[in-house]
Amino acid sequence: MPAQAAAPTDKPLIYCTDASPEGFDPGLWDSASTNNVNNQIFQGLVRFERGGTALQPALATRWEISPDARVFTFHLRPGVHFHQRPWFTPSRDLNADDVMFTFGRFLNPDHPFNKAFPATFIYPQNLGLAKAVASLEKLDAMTVRFTLHQPNVTFLSYFAMAFAGIQSAEYGAQLLRDGQPGQINRLPVGTGPYRFRSYAKDDVVRLEANPDYWGTPQKTQRLIFTISREAAVRVQKLLAGECQITSPLRDIDVAALDRHADRIRLMKIQALNISYLSFNLRKPPTDNRLVREALDIAVDRDAIFRALFPRGDAMQAVNPFPPAIPGYNTRLRNEYNPARARELLRQAGYPDGLDIDLWALPVTRPTNPNGQLMAQLIQQDWARIGVRAQIRTYEWGEYLKRANAGEHSVYMSGWAGESGDADDFLSPNLSCATNKTGVKFCNAEFERLIDTARATPDAARRIALYEQAQEIFKRERPWITMAHSTVYIPTSLDLRGFRMQPNGGVMFENVYRE
């Protein structure tokens, strides 16, 4: 795309975000707060259209897919420069070596960089990427080819996801020579419209416009992420003009900002998202299916929704993805039945109830605007069937780390999809690839259905397979499904060019203040 002249503005663009980034190597992380920062710095071979799920060229200008959806060949964009930073000066443009380096880390545990900087690539691991890819080849300096063991009709969308941001192989080699491979997660180098300046932990991330960007030069020269954990504080900062846009609002904040239409623009989208409570399937008592079903049907979702979603914009989640996505099983239902829940506990060997820990989400999300309140309401519901729940919570990064280690019995989580495909919810969260430690769901029958669906081009057949998979999910109950929500993002009236993404994320390319 030819670069168009743009008049730079000295007005900084400030985003009030709800949590600190965990790091700046996109392959390592899959939380929304981290992706929102890294998506300004890094780019994939393809990208989702702004405000939608259609795929567009990015660092690849075109691609070919074999008729059996097993071979994917990408032709790279010429003239793409990596960021020049005080810690790295590129000597060449983007080429196939950078794709080989980026994906080599995901596919090969013995990659030299992985030996020097051992890492868990959460999203690639959860997608089963290393197992799925038979070969990755550099055909020439600007062409790469991925060959899969099995067909995968969703594979192209992987390259638009946050984890697939292309890293500089030259930068990786420099870090290895200097004995500082861990810097790849602290001092990022990408190709995106903004480049990294600095990060003050739990306070602020500063980015600046990339003067060598292959696309349109950015009008916004300074892009700043200020970190405020408290939702009310973010709203006050917006009203005070201290930021021009915030992370998604809680219901209560939407009502408060409705009164300020003269100063604030309120944008909304029915997002592709879900909140849920995830059971630890490795240890008692939640390794018992009867206990999981009892805990699920003891939750009074109607009461929770009246408290957490008073505007009525959220929808109770029945299945692991929202009804807007093809393949949603409309025959399944939630149940609220404390009497049957008590009977299930008795059958499971807990006639006198049981003790359990319940982890409350420490950050606000559109699908879970108040984790502590949700936990308290569920605690009361469970008490009615003799379950004594102890509520715990931790700082966000610690919460994720401890949950991944399986310290919990039940913890609150959520997901936002990007591609509009059922596989984008099921494979990263409920496939056996996600279950390295036995904490998460792994069911052979469910796995066969989603694997077959991924390899099936016929839309009607895929839908039938996903409907069957949801029946197994509902029978086994690895989650208590909670909510799909509308996402509200407020902006100042002078903000131009911003479009909401279906996953609630933010992209600031070509966004500026007038």
Side-chain angles (χ1 to χ4, degrees):
M1 181 173 80
Q4 303 295 318
T9 173
D10 60 0
K11 293 181 179 178
L13 174 51
I14 304 172
Y15 176 63
C16 280
T17 185
D18 58 352
S20 302
E22 298 154 276
F24 300 98
D25 179 352
L28 294 182
W29 314 108
D30 69 346
S31 77
S33 307
T34 300
N35 291 347
N36 279 340
V37 175
N38 288 334
N39 283 344
Q40 320 309 320
I41 302 170
F42 291 92
Q43 297 174 301
L45 298 181
V46 300
R47 63 184 171 195
F48 295 110
E49 69 175 345
R50 295 290 288 279
T53 58
L55 293 169
Q56 298 177 330
L59 297 185
T61 55
R62 59 189 176 91
W63 49 86
E64 293 97 35
I65 304 172
S66 64
D68 65 355
R70 282 187 60 242
V71 183
F72 294 73
T73 306
F74 294 92
H75 303 272
L76 302 185
R77 183 178 298 276
V80 173
H81 310 301
F82 281 98
H83 299 157
Q84 180 161 339
R85 305 309 300 130
W87 52 89
F88 175 66
T89 300
S91 69
R92 61 165 176 79
D93 290 350
L94 169 88
N95 67 27
D97 292 336
D98 304 307
V99 181
M100 300 296 289
F101 170 68
T102 302
F103 282 88
R105 293 174 68 204
F106 303 153
L107 302 177
N108 178 15
D110 296 323
H111 190 283
F113 205 90
N114 290 341
K115 292 290 193 182
F117 181 49
T120 300
F121 301 107
I122 297 173
Y123 206 111
Q125 171 188 293
N126 291 353
L127 290 171
L129 202 64
K131 198 171 107 178
V133 176
S135 65
L136 167 58
E137 305 165 87
K138 171 184 173 181
L139 301 187
D140 60 41
M142 298 299 283
T143 316
V144 293
R145 174 174 291 164
F146 291 78
T147 302
L148 307 182
H149 290 292
Q150 301 293 330
N152 183 345
V153 296
T154 70
F155 190 67
L156 183 63
S157 69
Y158 293 0
F159 295 92
M161 293 176 180
F163 79 85
I166 300 299
Q167 300 267 16
S168 163
E170 193 178 18
Y171 182 44
Q174 174 186 303
L175 293 176
L176 283 184
R177 282 196 308 272
D178 295 346
Q180 294 184 312
Q183 294 292 82
I184 201 167
N185 190 43
R186 291 190 286 275
L187 296 173
V189 171
T191 62
Y194 290 94
R195 59 188 191 181
F196 180 81
R197 281 198 63 188
S198 65
Y199 170 46
K201 184 170 171 53
D202 298 330
D203 181 21
V204 63
V205 182
R206 297 182 186 278
L207 308 179
E208 64 186 23
N210 172 15
D212 301 317
Y213 186 44
W214 60 268
T216 306
Q218 298 304 295
K219 290 186 179 183
T220 296
Q221 295 301 294
R222 290 176 290 157
L223 176 58
I224 299 167
F225 287 68
T226 65
I227 300 153
S228 302
R229 285 188 58 186
E230 296 298 325
V233 171
R234 296 193 294 274
V235 169
Q236 289 307 313
K237 285 188 171 184
L238 180 74
L239 289 171
E242 294 176 31
C243 53
Q244 289 73 51
I245 180 170
T246 79
S247 54
L249 297 171
R250 304 173 300 175
D251 264 36
I252 189 173
D253 301 318
V254 174
L257 286 175
D258 273 341
R259 301 192 299 269
H260 296 282
D262 57 327
R263 288 192 285 158
I264 302 299
R265 180 188 301 114
L266 209 51
M267 306 178 75
K268 76 172 184 176
I269 194 170
Q270 187 62 50
L272 304 176
N273 61 18
I274 186 171
S275 60
Y276 58 87
L277 282 76
S278 181
F279 290 115
N280 187 330
L281 303 186
R282 187 175 65 190
K283 66 182 186 183
T286 49
D287 61 342
N288 186 318
R289 193 199 67 78
L290 295 176
V291 171
R292 298 195 299 272
E293 185 173 355
L295 294 174
D296 184 1
I297 68 174
V299 172
D300 185 352
R301 288 175 173 83
D302 288 347
I304 288 173
F305 270 60
R306 284 194 297 271
L308 264 66
F309 305 103
R311 292 175 64 89
D313 285 344
M315 175 190 305
Q316 292 186 23
V318 176
N319 296 323
F321 55 84
I325 290 179
Y328 183 88
N329 190 323
T330 57
R331 296 182 300 276
L332 298 174
R333 297 286 183 272
N334 288 329
E335 180 184 357
Y336 174 53
N337 192 333
R340 195 168 82 81
R342 281 191 293 272
E343 173 58 23
L344 287 170
L345 286 183
R346 189 191 64 74
Q347 291 176 29
Y350 298 96
D352 302 319
L354 52 85
D355 295 283
I356 202 168
D357 62 88
L358 169 60
W359 289 21
L361 194 72
V363 293
T364 59
R365 292 287 186 259
T367 53
N368 187 349
N370 189 332
Q372 194 68 31
L373 178 57
M374 182 185 283
Q376 290 165 356
L377 294 170
I378 291 172
Q379 182 186 48
Q380 292 169 16
D381 289 340
W382 286 352
R384 295 187 187 101
I385 64 167
V387 172
R388 298 166 292 277
Q390 180 182 356
I391 297 172
R392 296 180 182 169
T393 195
Y394 302 93
E395 178 275 326
W396 181 228
E398 189 72 10
Y399 182 93
L400 293 172
K401 187 170 76 174
R402 287 173 178 262
N404 285 330
E407 293 184 21
H408 63 288
S409 293
V410 189
Y411 83 103
M412 294 178 188
S413 190
W415 188 254
E418 294 183 270
S419 69
D421 194 284
D423 190 71
D424 191 17
F425 282 78
L426 303 181
S427 287
N429 296 301
L430 292 161
S431 68
C432 290
T434 69
N435 188 41
K436 298 295 185 189
T437 60
V439 168
K440 295 187 176 181
F441 186 60
C442 178
N443 177 283
E445 191 182 359
F446 182 91
E447 190 84 357
R448 179 184 60 78
L449 288 166
I450 65 170
D451 284 352
T452 306
R454 202 183 304 118
T456 302
D458 180 77
R461 175 73 180 132
R462 285 191 86 209
I463 283 171
L465 291 163
Y466 286 134
E467 288 177 344
Q468 286 179 260
Q470 286 159 88
E471 289 170 7
I472 296 166
F473 168 86
K474 206 64 178 174
R475 182 188 75 212
E476 296 299 322
R477 308 211 189 215
W479 297 352
I480 297 176
T481 52
M482 289 306 301
H484 309 298
S485 75
T486 300
V487 173
Y488 289 87
I489 292 181
T491 79
S492 60
L493 294 182
D494 66 347
L495 198 69
R496 297 287 179 267
F498 179 74
R499 294 190 67 184
M500 293 184 69
Q501 297 297 108
N503 68 344
V506 291
M507 294 293 295
F508 291 119
E509 182 174 2
N510 302 329
V511 178
Y512 62 95
R513 294 170 64 191
E514 201 165 56

